[in-house]
Amino acid sequence: MNDFYGIEPGAYSTPKEWGAQLASFGPHTGRYVLVLPGYKVWSEAVLSHSGVGDLERERIRTILRRAFGHSPFLERPLDRWPITESWLENAIRYWRAADSKHKFIYVHEECFSNFIENRSDDCKILSSADIFLPSSPADEEIDTQPEDYWKVSQWLCQISAEIHFIDPYFNPVAGVDVCKVFFHYVEKIARLKKPIDVHFWVRCRERERDAGDGLQKTSREVEMLIREAAKGGRSGLRFHFHWVRDDTSRDKLHARYLLTDKGGIQFDQGFQVLRPSGKRNMVSPVGLDLHRELFERFTGGKNTFDVEKTIKVVV
């Protein structure tokens, strides 16, 4: 999950090569391309290195533009990128100082032989011929403190306008081990530029249904938590909290997902601090077809369960 790559602008030259390579990146694979020193400069360098005719160059431009829309690319602000040094020299220096766990750079085959004897743990050079070489298994076990959940989720949240948390037990008033994670997510998302709507889908507990107040007490507590966590964040962000009754419906709130308009992550044991201390949670990217199906269900009202109550909190 969240493996980060650099691709030398001259690594590939044809539309077919660029299309095949970029198809293996994005939220559905958990692999991203850090476009250094930025998408505009990097994409223009790709086109200038292509060495093909005008028609083929326009095809590459279209492939890059479409890929940018599907979010395999990430950008980071750079303090230093001397134009007197080559792209590869700059990228290696950046990568060795970066804090990402998996760091790889694809280079043109002819350059690759120069680095065979010069590999290190902090930056691995890959040949452009290894288009589908996996960096690591997509599934990953994570620790379950709030910051660990955010670390694996932040890139997907950062590029998404609409975010859905789907977990029958992700009710922050149900216990402190859930509340900690909920509060941390709201606090972090409220400080991002891209998100517009954030949804939480949880199962309505029997004692909440039987309280006789129409979930009024619970909904007030949830709203207070959201407002407290989002305090100091970006104004205008909309939070939606849905209590669901799925006991008699075909569709169940069972599998736990972070689902957005760009992709998804499945959390095997949901969003909570697991006990005993040290217990880990398996996470994995959601494939393209499943993501499309789930996102359509939760945004298009196609689930068969009943929504007992929804509150909307605008911060």
Side-chain angles (χ1 to χ4, degrees):
M1 286 291 299
N2 291 348
D3 290 351
F4 299 106
Y5 289 71
I7 302 181
E8 181 192 18
Y12 305 100
S13 57
T14 68
K16 183 177 180 180
E17 290 171 340
W18 278 110
Q21 175 62 292
L22 294 178
S24 65
F25 290 94
H28 64 288
T29 63
R31 307 165 75 204
Y32 295 91
V33 179
L34 281 181
V35 283
L36 303 172
Y39 176 75
K40 180 176 172 54
V41 174
W42 178 83
S43 60
E44 289 303 319
V46 167
L47 295 172
S48 67
H49 280 87
S50 62
V52 294
D54 292 342
L55 181 59
E56 295 288 274
R57 189 175 294 109
E58 283 307 307
R59 287 176 177 167
I60 294 174
R61 189 190 303 275
T62 299
I63 289 168
L64 296 180
R65 185 171 61 248
R66 288 176 178 170
F68 188 73
H70 292 128
S71 304
F73 298 136
L74 294 175
E75 295 182 285
R76 278 184 172 177
L78 299 177
D79 296 328
R80 184 170 178 243
W81 192 271
I83 60 174
T84 55
E85 298 180 22
S86 70
W87 183 94
L88 191 54
E89 290 171 324
N90 277 309
I92 290 174
R93 183 179 56 253
Y94 167 80
W95 233 253
R96 286 178 171 159
D99 59 357
S100 54
K101 184 171 57 175
H102 300 114
K103 297 174 277 191
F104 307 86
I105 301 177
Y106 278 106
V107 300
H108 191 275
E109 255 188 302
E110 293 179 2
C111 298
F112 179 64
S113 59
N114 298 328
F115 294 94
I116 290 179
E117 303 300 328
N118 187 32
R119 296 187 184 184
S120 63
D121 291 337
D122 57 3
C123 183
K124 185 175 181 180
I125 306 298
L126 304 173
S127 168
S128 59
D130 297 324
I131 289 181
F132 298 111
L133 180 68
S135 64
S136 64
D139 296 348
E140 180 181 345
E141 282 192 334
I142 64 168
D143 292 328
T144 62
Q145 293 301 311
E147 57 271 19
D148 299 308
Y149 284 101
W150 179 244
K151 186 174 182 180
V152 79
S153 308
Q154 62 178 321
W155 296 110
L156 183 57
C157 291
Q158 183 175 301
I159 61 176
S160 301
E162 185 171 348
I163 300 171
H164 294 256
F165 291 89
I166 302 161
D167 180 350
Y169 307 112
F170 200 25
N171 188 337
V173 302
V176 65
D177 288 338
V178 174
C179 185
K180 286 179 180 178
V181 179
F182 178 89
F183 195 93
H184 196 73
Y185 267 120
V186 173
E187 185 178 40
K188 292 296 186 180
I189 292 173
R191 284 150 181 80
L192 298 179
K193 295 179 180 179
K194 189 74 179 285
I196 299 171
D197 288 280
V198 183
H199 296 257
F200 297 90
W201 300 84
V202 306
R203 182 176 293 136
C204 184
R205 298 175 296 170
E206 285 187 21
R207 64 176 177 271
E208 291 173 329
R209 292 202 301 263
D210 297 340
D213 66 351
L215 290 167
Q216 290 301 316
K217 181 176 183 295
T218 300
S219 61
R220 285 195 300 269
E221 291 174 347
V222 170
E223 180 175 353
M224 287 173 60
L225 280 170
I226 291 174
R227 293 195 182 282
E228 178 64 25
K231 190 180 297 182
R234 180 169 56 86
S235 62
L237 183 58
R238 300 186 293 254
F239 290 90
H240 312 258
F241 202 96
H242 312 276
W243 285 268
V244 167
R245 292 188 64 172
D246 63 349
D247 46 348
T248 61
S249 64
R250 183 183 71 251
D251 295 322
K252 305 291 185 183
L253 281 187
H254 177 64
R256 286 80 158 177
Y257 299 103
L258 168 59
L259 192 69
T260 83
D261 53 317
K262 296 297 186 180
I265 302 171
Q266 182 168 1
F267 291 77
D268 188 53
Q269 299 188 62
F271 304 92
Q272 60 180 311
V273 178
L274 296 177
R275 305 294 179 182
S277 178
K279 194 173 181 181
R280 294 163 70 80
N281 197 350
M282 180 69 74
V283 300
S284 55
V286 175
L288 284 173
D289 291 341
L290 179 58
H291 168 259
R292 191 177 299 112
E293 176 191 338
L294 288 170
F295 195 74
E296 185 176 340
R297 278 171 49 193
F298 280 91
T299 61
K302 295 188 176 181
N303 282 306
T304 60
F305 50 63
D306 295 322
V307 178
E308 185 82 5
K309 184 180 178 68
T310 293
I311 63 169
K312 178 179 176 181
V313 182
V314 182
V315 299

